[in-house]
Amino acid sequence: YEMLRSLVGSEMCIRDRTYIMDYKKNLSAIQHEKLKVILSDLPSFCRDYFDYCDGTLNRSTATMLEYAYDVRSYFKFIAAGNPLINSYHDVTLDILDKMTPRDIQEYMSYLRSHKDESGRIVTNDANARARKLSSLRSFYQYYFAFAGLHSNPAKLISSPKLHQKKQPRLDSEEIKELLTDVITVGALDDNKRPYAIRSNLRDTAIIALLGGTGIRVSELVGIDLNDIDWEHNSIKIVRKGGNEDIVYFGEEISKYMADYIDNERKPGDKKENALFVASRGEKKRLTVRSVERIVSKYSAASIPSKKISPHGLRRTFGTNYYEATSDLYAVADALGHKNIQVTKDHYADISDRKKQQVKKFSDELLKND
């Protein structure tokens, strides 16, 4: 065990990086290629905006890729309603300058439900429409400031009203129950149990790491063996937006991860440095979708009343940590939130047990001695 820990952090891992697929750089490279393809398809003036996002605003490639998809969607809408141009490739700055707030409103209605080129119905919920409107505001603002547009019509349109739903999460007893069921595979039916046993240690480490640190599933699948600092019980991860961060974990998680690495993962394949790999076939890095299936399988069997996803485990960590500390800033830091309002809106949840304390307070307040 100690030898394995030494191996993970040794110079051997550094020398072998020539042969190891660096997941984070590879993912960024793939996103960069996708961005290049979309930009080559958009009118040439659009490149100025994306150069600004890249060089000045330091936006991540993933964020710029979302912007590019959103801009292309808007240009397709313009082309569909403008008989003077043949396609969205023909949209010019002059055409953009003629768009009015009314046009933006029509675009938002179009996004709610429309048919694509193949006749398939495409819908966007309020969150998706709000994000696309935000992309448009930023896009217009650049050309308003630097390219002579006379207005930013997207800025005059209110974002769709977002209805916050109470998202499922587990209380402290339920997360322990889920983890126990993963360890024993006892909640699974007879058909699933034999397959689950083969990856039992891996799945236990995954559930423990998601529920015990609150990291995103995308951050989890990006962890490499040499990202783990066993001496300080910490992991180097890449947050949403591309920033590196350090996440700390306790002895329970350390035990689950070490058991998995020592008995199932086994560091023999120098071509794949991922922490979590497939249990069958080639030891390739698990995908986000694979982890989602793992969490869904166990949570549906263990706690069927709550539909828990990897993000549900992140929410479980965040709300329970807030309940234990009442420190919003500590929770925001642990979850990697840049905007504390996000933490307040989505994770500063109060348990039903605490809410029910109002009954005792009410009695004491109104009791007539």
Side-chain angles (χ1 to χ4, degrees):
Y1 175 60
E2 291 301 326
M3 182 178 69
L4 176 63
R5 285 189 171 190
S6 176
L7 175 62
V8 170
S10 71
E11 292 182 3
M12 185 181 299
C13 290
I14 298 174
R15 291 197 303 268
D16 289 340
R17 289 194 73 85
T18 306
Y19 307 101
I20 294 170
M21 180 187 71
D22 189 324
Y23 171 77
K24 305 170 189 70
K25 289 182 179 178
N26 185 61
L27 180 60
S28 179
I30 292 172
Q31 292 170 337
H32 186 70
E33 288 303 312
K34 287 182 179 179
L35 180 61
K36 283 173 59 178
V37 170
I38 297 177
L39 289 183
S40 68
D41 202 32
L42 289 172
S44 59
F45 71 85
C46 294
R47 293 183 185 84
D48 295 340
Y49 169 70
F50 286 93
D51 286 343
Y52 172 73
C53 289
D54 184 22
T56 303
L57 301 183
N58 199 30
R59 296 285 189 256
S60 69
T61 306
T63 298
M64 290 191 292
L65 188 58
E66 284 190 352
Y67 287 172
Y69 284 133
D70 292 342
V71 169
R72 186 174 66 178
S73 170
Y74 178 54
F75 281 17
K76 286 182 177 181
F77 165 77
I78 293 175
N82 192 328
L84 300 179
I85 59 177
N86 295 320
S87 72
Y88 65 91
H89 311 285
D90 302 322
V91 174
T92 64
L93 282 172
D94 286 338
I95 291 174
L96 286 182
D97 207 23
K98 291 181 173 62
M99 302 299 286
T100 66
R102 176 61 184 167
D103 294 317
I104 305 297
Q105 287 177 335
E106 290 182 1
Y107 174 60
M108 298 305 291
S109 178
Y110 161 85
L111 287 175
R112 189 162 193 162
S113 180
H114 64 276
K115 289 184 178 181
D116 63 12
E117 293 89 342
S118 63
R120 182 174 59 95
I121 298 294
V122 178
T123 61
N124 289 272
D125 63 15
N127 284 290
R129 298 198 307 276
R131 195 204 75 230
K132 291 179 185 295
L133 179 60
S134 177
S135 296
L136 268 192
R137 288 171 176 166
S138 175
F139 184 75
Y140 262 105
Q141 188 60 34
Y142 171 80
Y143 292 102
F144 174 62
F146 300 110
L149 293 193
H150 292 89
S151 66
N152 181 348
K155 198 171 184 179
L156 301 177
I157 304 301
S158 299
S159 293
K161 186 176 181 180
L162 305 180
H163 300 283
Q164 299 293 346
K165 297 180 181 179
K166 189 174 178 63
Q167 300 296 330
R169 56 98 174 177
L170 306 177
D171 60 33
S172 59
E173 293 305 313
E174 287 173 326
I175 185 64
K176 292 173 185 175
E177 179 184 347
L178 172 61
L179 190 58
T180 299
D181 285 341
V182 177
I183 293 171
T184 63
V185 300
L188 299 178
D189 61 39
D190 292 341
N191 293 325
K192 294 179 180 178
R193 195 173 298 124
Y195 297 99
I197 290 174
R198 293 187 303 187
S199 57
N200 175 246
L201 297 179
R202 182 200 66 187
D203 296 349
T204 300
I206 287 173
I207 299 295
L209 198 53
L210 288 171
T213 65
I215 61 175
R216 298 176 178 89
V217 61
S218 60
E219 296 163 353
L220 178 129
V221 299
I223 298 172
D224 288 336
L225 288 170
N226 53 345
D227 289 332
I228 306 171
D229 181 345
W230 294 103
E231 183 181 353
H232 300 97
N233 275 14
S234 65
I235 304 174
K236 181 178 68 176
I237 64 170
V238 177
R239 291 290 193 186
K240 184 179 180 181
N243 295 323
E244 285 192 354
D245 197 3
I246 300 296
V247 171
Y248 292 90
F249 55 87
E251 290 302 322
E252 289 295 308
I253 292 177
S254 177
K255 177 185 68 176
Y256 294 133
M257 288 201 303
D259 285 347
Y260 159 62
I261 294 173
D262 200 14
N263 296 289
E264 277 184 8
R265 174 60 179 82
K266 296 181 181 178
D269 187 354
K270 296 178 181 178
K271 293 181 181 179
E272 182 54 82
N273 195 34
L275 170 60
F276 294 113
V277 296
S279 59
R280 289 178 288 179
E282 295 184 32
K283 295 289 186 178
K284 290 187 176 181
R285 184 185 301 270
L286 280 184
T287 64
V288 167
R289 184 69 188 112
S290 296
V291 176
E292 289 173 343
R293 284 195 291 262
I294 290 168
V295 174
S296 176
K297 174 178 67 177
Y298 285 106
S299 64
S302 181
I303 308 175
S305 61
K306 294 183 178 180
K307 191 175 181 180
I308 297 296
S309 64
H311 197 80
L313 292 179
R314 175 172 165 83
R315 192 177 301 109
T316 292
F317 171 82
T319 53
N320 281 282
Y321 190 31
Y322 178 71
E323 187 173 322
T325 64
S326 299
D327 189 336
L328 203 58
Y329 289 93
V331 177
D333 184 65
L335 294 173
H337 285 160
K338 294 181 179 179
N339 185 352
I340 198 169
Q341 188 64 38
V342 175
T343 315
K344 182 177 184 297
D345 290 344
H346 298 284
Y347 296 89
D349 197 9
I350 301 175
S351 68
D352 288 336
R353 177 175 54 81
K354 281 196 171 184
K355 287 182 178 179
Q356 289 187 33
Q357 291 177 359
V358 72
K359 293 189 291 187
K360 180 180 178 181
F361 170 78
S362 177
D363 286 341
E364 292 177 350
L365 181 65
L366 301 178
K367 187 175 180 179
N368 189 346
D369 294 328

